[in-house]
Amino acid sequence: VQVAESGGGLVHAGDSLTLSCVVSGTTRTINAVGWYRQAPGKQRELVAGLSSGTITIYSDSVKGRFTASRDNAKNTVYLQMNSLKPEDTAVYYCNADVGDTYYASSYYYTGRVFDYWGQGTQVTVSS
């Protein structure tokens, strides 16, 4: 299974970006996916967690600005980021599961992660 993020770049504060996460190398459909980010010198943090169902959770820092969505036909997950701030600058990672276990949104509060990670995509927001 391969996970590949794309869509990062250098933008100004207030701009928007949409990140994509494509899961390939499997005949299985994306089950649950977490978007994470890591800024220099900081710990990795969850940005958005898509459950196996329809519920998605967001960190308080991005709630109301970021929206995660999925296209199962394309095995792709998106992260629409609006009103970007300099503090959103980080490498953004996609963490995916393609198994059969049902993951409720509460899974993301356990600190556990799925098996498959992408290489990350850099998002830099200038002030």
Side-chain angles (χ1 to χ4, degrees):
V1 178
Q2 292 83 47
V3 179
E5 306 93 338
S6 62
L10 172 62
V11 297
H12 293 105
D15 286 351
S16 298
L17 272 179
T18 299
L19 305 183
S20 299
C21 168
V22 179
V23 177
S24 60
T26 178
T27 57
R28 292 177 169 271
T29 303
I30 291 175
N31 182 20
V33 175
W35 279 103
Y36 293 82
R37 67 185 181 187
Q38 187 165 20
K42 294 188 177 181
Q43 288 190 329
R44 182 183 64 203
E45 64 170 341
L46 177 71
V47 175
L50 294 86
S51 71
S52 299
T54 59
I55 296 175
T56 300
I57 61 165
Y58 299 93
S59 68
D60 289 342
S61 60
V62 307
K63 200 172 294 183
R65 299 188 297 123
F66 290 13
T67 302
S69 60
R70 62 199 297 165
D71 184 336
N72 286 346
K74 296 181 179 180
N75 245 20
T76 300
V77 174
Y78 304 96
L79 185 66
Q80 172 69 42
M81 307 185 295
N82 298 327
S83 303
L84 282 162
K85 304 175 181 180
E87 50 264 44
D88 294 319
T89 296
V91 178
Y92 284 71
Y93 297 92
C94 184
N95 177 232
D97 177 81
V98 294
D100 297 323
T101 302
Y102 184 89
Y103 291 103
S105 58
S106 57
Y107 173 85
Y108 293 100
Y109 298 110
T110 67
R112 291 181 290 172
V113 296
F114 303 123
D115 290 338
Y116 304 110
W117 289 92
Q119 80 290 347
T121 186
Q122 176 72 46
V123 173
T124 303
V125 184
S126 64
S127 58

